Amino acid sequence: MKIVFATNNEHKLDEITKISRGKLEILSLSDINCHEEIPETGDTLKENALIKAKYVKDKFGLDCFADDTGLEVDALNNAPGIYSSRYAGPNCDPEDNMQKLLQDLQGLKNRKAQFRTVIALILNGKEYYFEGVVKGEIIHQKKGSNGFGYDPIFKPIGYDKTFGELPEKIKNSLSHRAIATQKLVDFLLKQKTEG
């Protein structure tokens, strides 16, 4: 089964392709000759995911899904949330975002956080949503160089290593994106067998 994943983020594409390998054939935006940067103007992860999926459906007529992911930190009223990729400003990189977050948490005892992914799927003209959450905490300094984004400072509950230290295979079995993707894959496979 082929389906378009509306993202220009190579890391996300790679991660979801690995998680769904053998079950789905994921097409990227460049596979369908879509090279625009789709603006994320929603106020929630759900809205942003739907905006991206709708863009592809409206412009290319293809069934597709999109995700939006945010890091939600307890002590910061769930910030950075939808602004996770641009927390340190419009032209920032992941390093800038991590440094700003560590700075904002300086001196705070509560370091609880969660990664949350919402996937919006448009299939046969209907919208469906799948959510994945992984809880953990923000550590005091970076550890590990695996993954991307905030992975080197996020330690999931039940592990003594950050997402940046955990082997890719382990991270891809327990991450927020893995949970949401698994729900999506199960749903699509069920549609396929019923269809």
Side-chain angles (χ1 to χ4, degrees):
M1 183 176 194
K2 283 186 187 180
I3 189 140
V4 178
F5 179 24
T7 187
N8 284 310
N9 183 319
E10 288 300 319
H11 296 293
K12 285 185 180 184
L13 187 62
D14 181 55
E15 201 170 84
I16 281 196
T17 302
K18 283 177 177 154
I19 292 165
S20 62
R21 182 160 287 144
K23 298 174 188 139
L24 293 175
E25 189 184 333
I26 307 287
L27 299 175
S28 68
L29 288 178
S30 58
D31 289 335
I32 61 164
N33 286 320
C34 175
H35 302 287
E36 298 92 300
E37 201 55 56
I38 304 167
E40 296 179 11
T41 53
D43 294 323
T44 63
L45 297 175
K46 185 176 174 180
E47 283 176 21
N48 280 336
L50 184 61
I51 287 166
K52 291 183 275 191
K54 266 193 159 151
Y55 182 90
V56 171
K57 181 66 179 170
D58 294 347
K59 195 159 182 187
F60 296 88
L62 299 168
D63 285 340
C64 74
F65 70 93
D67 90 309
D68 199 23
T69 293
L71 175 65
E72 300 172 336
V73 181
D74 259 27
L76 304 176
N77 293 324
N78 289 336
I82 60 167
Y83 302 107
S84 293
S85 64
R86 49 193 188 276
Y87 190 46
N91 299 312
C92 62
D93 64 18
E95 188 60 39
D96 300 331
N97 288 330
M98 276 190 281
Q99 290 312 322
K100 175 168 169 47
L101 184 62
L102 291 174
Q103 217 172 343
D104 290 351
L105 284 173
Q106 244 175 357
L108 297 177
K109 278 201 168 70
N110 177 5
R111 299 183 78 87
K112 285 185 196 160
Q114 65 178 21
F115 269 122
R116 193 159 63 91
T117 290
V118 177
I119 291 177
L121 166 70
I122 298 179
L123 184 70
N124 303 325
K126 288 190 186 142
E127 294 165 15
Y128 304 92
Y129 297 94
F130 309 90
E131 188 173 298
V133 173
V134 64
K135 293 181 182 294
E137 64 176 332
I138 303 299
I139 61 168
H140 291 268
Q141 57 194 46
K142 282 168 47 184
K143 286 188 182 172
S145 55
N146 296 339
F148 62 100
Y150 297 90
D151 287 356
I153 58 171
F154 181 84
K155 189 172 76 171
I157 287 175
Y159 290 81
D160 58 0
K161 288 184 163 63
T162 66
F163 270 173
E165 296 174 289
L166 287 170
E168 187 179 69
K169 203 170 178 179
I170 293 177
K171 183 201 165 186
N172 284 352
S173 70
L174 66 101
S175 78
H176 44 295
R177 197 168 289 109
I179 294 164
T181 302
Q182 197 52 60
K183 290 177 183 174
L184 168 77
V185 169
D186 292 346
F187 174 81
L188 288 172
L189 293 177
K190 192 166 174 257
Q191 297 296 306
K192 196 175 153 189
T193 54
E194 288 173 1

